[in-house]
Amino acid sequence: MLASARSALARAAASAARLWRRSLQARVVLSTVALTALVVALLGVALLRQISDGLVGERVEVALAEAGQSSAEVQKSLSAASTDFDVEAQLSDLAARVVERGRSQGYDVVLIGPLATSPGSTGDGTGPTGGGQRFSPGLDPTSVPPALRRKVESPTGGGDGWTYTELRSGGGATGSDEPTRVPAVVVGSRLVLPADGGTYALYHLFPMGQEEQTLALVRRALLTSGLLLMLLVAGVAFLVARQVVTPVRLARRVAERIASGRLEERMQVRGEDDIARLAGSFNQMAASLQKQIRALEDMSAGQRRFVSDVSHELRTPLTTVRMAADVLHDGRHRFDPVTARSAELLHTELDRFENLLTGLLEISRFDAGAATMHLDRVDLVDVARRVVGSMSLLAEDAGVRLVLLPPDLPCVVEADALRVERVVRNLVGNAIDYARPAIVPDIEVRVAGNDTACALTVRDHGVGLAPGDETRVFNRFWRADPARARTTGGTGLGLAIAREDARLHGGWLEAWGRPGEGAQFRLTLPRRAGEDPVSSPLPLQPEPAPSRAVTR
């Protein structure tokens, strides 16, 4: 049960956090309500304190005036008392009159005395008092605080005084039969009976129940009005935020549609306020972007057509020149050394030119969306073996050796065998071109698979890639080493074509590299055509010390 409650609380907190992050309107409303609650709380506390101080201060003033008048009358009555009569009877009669007056005026009375003044007395108002206590019916005499009694009843206490207390009674001035506890003001006075020289303490206890009820009513009113004010502010903030956020949301939807290719989408312009001007500016920007994108698309289409047309048109004269070059190359042994070398260079450059034209034609097919595949069940291990076996002599000429690290099980995918083999040849050839045999002579080719994908990596220890070159390496005609001459290496289209082949299969072709530490390229293909691989079976960043296998 506790775990379910915690889980529900965690989900609610996550939902609230997601709403706070994603909704501008929610942030505006909640922030406004929070600030309003803080201001209302501060104002309410200040107002309640002022009202409380005013009510209590006024009650204290009334209590002091009433107690002073009552004490003066009692002192006058004591001064007029005669020694010919019973003092106790006179005190009882006087106390009864004071209590009755307090009942009519709404306060309670406690009369203590005569106070003991002998050396054996405590003199603190808590010891023997001789005459005892007389108080209003139903009143608890302990309602008089001991500190005030010490002040009033002690010979050295200073006499009169007042303080706040809690009135505990079961009737008295309140007229109730049930025990009550209400705040009160108690005023104490010291009186003297001239007839016998006795000293008495008279306490007037003024309840503040009405003031407490008034403060409770004010607190309820402030709380209710504060809640209503926050609801009103929340509603106003919601409406205001909605007026601002709604156009922003519409602009976001229009921007998403434009980003998806629907360049004709526009915002509706209503009115002449800032939002309307923003919508107009947004539409102008969208129109300008549409115009520029159309121009770029037309330019790109024209460039693609030009490249495709030129490539096709060059095929015919290239075939003728190839035939003449082959004749010259075959008969070069009959030429002088300079002419023979020229025939060899012509044959080599014609090979490069033909490869360049082939690459351009393939790129133009990808750009035009005309590339097709012939799917079949292809084992990446067999493809890797064929490539490693056919390019071993080329690797030996470059001073490096190819190392194949096959998996324990076949890695079969649905793919175009020719395109996959072309990708692997491009990766291995690129590794041979940029290898540094004097440092690490091995180029490792690794194959692995999982439930959804198969992967092949080619690791070299050549010049490596600088930060940021991991994506630029797949650009057309881009090279990691600008100092390398165009007369060496490939055409600069191999990796670009390889990436397009990987995308055509629904896979990835990625690169990792560090300057001086070499590079690693990873090809990831889905096992079944049309599916997206969840993850790659091989890491993109190579291990520090890869294992070795048999050289092919």
Side-chain angles (χ1 to χ4, degrees), residues 217-547:
L217 179 61
V218 171
R219 281 194 294 267
R220 289 195 297 271
L222 289 176
L223 182 60
T224 303
S225 60
L227 291 177
L228 293 177
L229 179 60
M230 283 192 293
L231 290 177
L232 178 62
V233 169
V236 173
F238 177 82
L239 293 177
V240 173
R242 185 178 181 85
Q243 290 181 354
V244 177
V245 172
T246 299
V248 175
R249 290 176 177 172
L250 293 176
R252 175 181 59 82
R253 297 192 186 102
V254 172
E256 290 176 350
R257 296 190 189 105
I258 292 176
S260 65
R262 298 166 61 180
L263 302 178
E264 69 283 354
E265 290 289 333
R266 297 293 183 269
M267 290 184 62
Q268 294 183 357
V269 181
R270 298 176 180 176
E272 299 179 357
D273 55 7
D274 294 335
I275 298 298
R277 289 197 294 270
L278 175 63
S281 300
F282 183 89
N283 291 338
Q284 292 177 4
M285 179 189 67
S288 177
L289 288 176
Q290 181 182 15
K291 182 179 180 180
Q292 294 180 18
I293 290 174
R294 296 297 188 197
L296 290 175
E297 288 179 348
D298 293 341
M299 184 183 300
S300 178
Q303 291 177 348
R304 288 196 298 269
R305 285 194 301 270
F306 175 77
V307 171
S308 178
D309 294 343
V310 170
S311 300
H312 280 89
E313 292 297 329
L314 289 178
R315 297 292 294 183
T316 301
L318 178 62
T319 302
T320 304
V321 174
R322 162 65 69 183
M323 294 174 59
D326 288 342
V327 172
L328 293 176
H329 187 267
D330 292 340
R332 66 184 182 281
H333 59 277
R334 297 190 301 268
F335 303 151
D336 60 88
V338 176
T339 306
R341 179 57 180 165
S342 298
E344 292 178 355
L345 291 177
L346 177 61
H347 187 272
T348 302
E349 293 305 317
L350 279 176
D351 289 339
R352 286 175 48 80
F353 189 38
E354 189 172 9
N355 291 333
L356 178 60
L357 280 181
T358 302
L360 289 175
L361 286 172
E362 189 66 22
I363 286 292
S364 65
R365 293 192 189 98
F366 284 119
D367 291 339
T372 59
M373 293 191 304
H374 301 282
L375 296 179
D376 197 358
R377 292 178 59 82
V378 179
D379 188 352
L380 280 185
V381 179
D382 292 340
V383 173
R385 285 198 180 100
R386 287 198 301 270
V387 173
V388 169
S390 62
M391 302 187 70
S392 296
L393 294 178
L394 180 62
E396 292 177 2
D397 293 340
V400 296
R401 59 178 180 174
L402 301 178
V403 179
L404 176 61
L405 304 169
D408 297 332
L409 298 175
C411 290
V412 180
V413 295
E414 293 181 2
D416 188 320
L418 295 179
R419 292 184 180 275
V420 172
E421 185 169 344
R422 182 170 62 185
V423 172
V424 178
R425 286 185 180 277
N426 278 325
L427 297 181
V428 175
N430 184 75
I432 293 174
D433 288 339
Y434 290 93
R436 292 190 298 178
I439 299 177
V440 179
D442 290 347
I443 296 176
E444 298 94 6
V445 180
R446 184 189 300 268
V447 183
N450 57 22
D451 294 337
T452 61
C454 292
L456 179 144
T457 60
V458 178
R459 171 76 162 105
D460 67 75
H461 302 272
V463 297
L465 296 174
D469 289 349
E470 296 87 354
T471 56
R472 289 193 293 267
V473 71
F474 297 106
N475 293 343
R476 301 171 186 180
F477 302 107
W478 186 90
R479 294 195 176 198
D481 186 3
R484 292 173 62 93
R486 282 294 180 187
T487 56
T488 60
T491 62
L493 294 175
L495 291 179
I497 295 174
R499 182 177 62 174
E500 296 297 336
D501 281 331
R503 289 177 177 176
L504 190 62
H505 286 83
W508 319 318
L509 181 58
E510 303 161 287
W512 170 92
R514 288 180 181 175
E517 298 183 18
Q520 176 163 292
F521 289 81
R522 180 179 67 180
L523 171 66
T524 305
L525 298 176
R527 282 190 178 271
R528 284 168 290 279
E531 296 184 357
D532 294 329
V534 178
S535 61
S536 182
L538 293 174
L540 179 59
Q541 182 172 348
E543 299 178 359
S547 59

